[in-house]
Amino acid sequence: MCIQDEQELVYLKAAGRIVRQVLDAMKAEVRPGVSTQYLDDIGARVMQENGASSAPRMVYKFPGASCISLNDEAVHGIPGDRQLKEGDLVKLDVTVEKDGYMADAAVTVPVGRISAQAEQLMMCAERAFHKAMLVARAGFRVFEIGKVVEREVRKSGFTVIRELGGHGIGRTIHELPHVPNYADPQARQIMTEGLVITVEPIISSGSGQVFTAKDGWTLRTGDHALSAHFEHTLVITSGAPILLTAFGS
């Protein structure tokens, strides 16, 4: 969506703050022995306490309040009785609806001590996001975000998962434009002030190919390589974007 007035920004900021609260509450409970369902229940409770709903459940009938993906699961992992183990990488991906507006963010969290490669992958996803913020501005084309993300990821020795990327958001989860994590020549839309999008490097330590698991939801890396995910919802301005889902936003 493109924000039309100040009240819409107020609603989006409210949704973004709830996403941040959900992520922070879930992240605080990540430790060996905890199930992904336990984390999802925490997130669902925070949503309910704030008068918000799970957007994936509302829009797509996703079987969980949030997407929780482990290790080679890139996105859309279904919460369940799986327990976290020392060395895992867990991706917490939260999208909420509040008063008709939606916001979306994701973070990769280490479970206890992780390998050096896992730590580098996790840090690379976040670093690529912040590098992309330099071109997530009015007057730039959408593909320039992907160009910056992929350059940073490749420089670090990793691979972007090209099938997955960011998107417009606001009144529903997935709106135009698609925001690829590589320099897709079709992503030529010029970003304008007030445009609301997600930027979300989703990267792999392997080939970057993915497939849909038997559950019909989870996307896993084809070579079972580790993946990492970092995401915020943001509003495009002429300068630095407004990060709706960042702490203190």
Side-chain angles (χ1 to χ4, degrees), residues 14-68:
R17 280 194 296 270
I18 297 168
V19 168
R20 183 78 262 147
Q21 290 175 39
V22 172
L23 280 173
D24 288 347
M26 294 168 71
K27 183 178 177 180
E29 293 297 321
V30 168
R31 61 183 182 275
V34 165
S35 73
T36 56
Q37 185 62 60
Y38 174 76
L39 296 177
D40 194 56
D41 289 344
I42 289 172
R45 184 170 66 247
V46 175
M47 292 180 200
Q48 184 177 34
E49 289 171 351
N50 285 275
S53 301
S54 163
R57 182 174 278 162
M58 174 185 294
V59 176
Y60 297 116
K61 301 190 186 319
F62 180 74
S66 301
C67 301
I68 304 179

Side-chain angles (χ1 to χ4, degrees), residues 171-241:
R171 301 296 275 178
T172 190
I173 300 177
H174 294 106
E175 300 178 352
L176 293 175
H178 175 59
V179 184
N181 285 318
Y182 64 99
D184 183 350
Q186 296 185 41
R188 298 195 60 79
Q189 177 176 333
I190 296 175
M191 290 176 281
T192 56
E193 292 197 51
L195 179 67
V196 186
I197 60 173
T198 72
V199 174
E200 46 183 309
I202 306 170
I203 68 175
S204 168
S205 62
S207 69
Q209 301 299 312
V210 292
F211 70 96
T212 303
K214 291 180 180 179
D215 62 24
W217 291 98
T218 309
L219 289 179
R220 306 183 70 167
T221 57
D223 51 7
H224 300 294
L226 285 174
S227 70
H229 184 187
F230 189 86
E231 173 188 15
H232 279 300
T233 296
L234 53 99
V235 180
I236 298 296
T237 74
S238 58

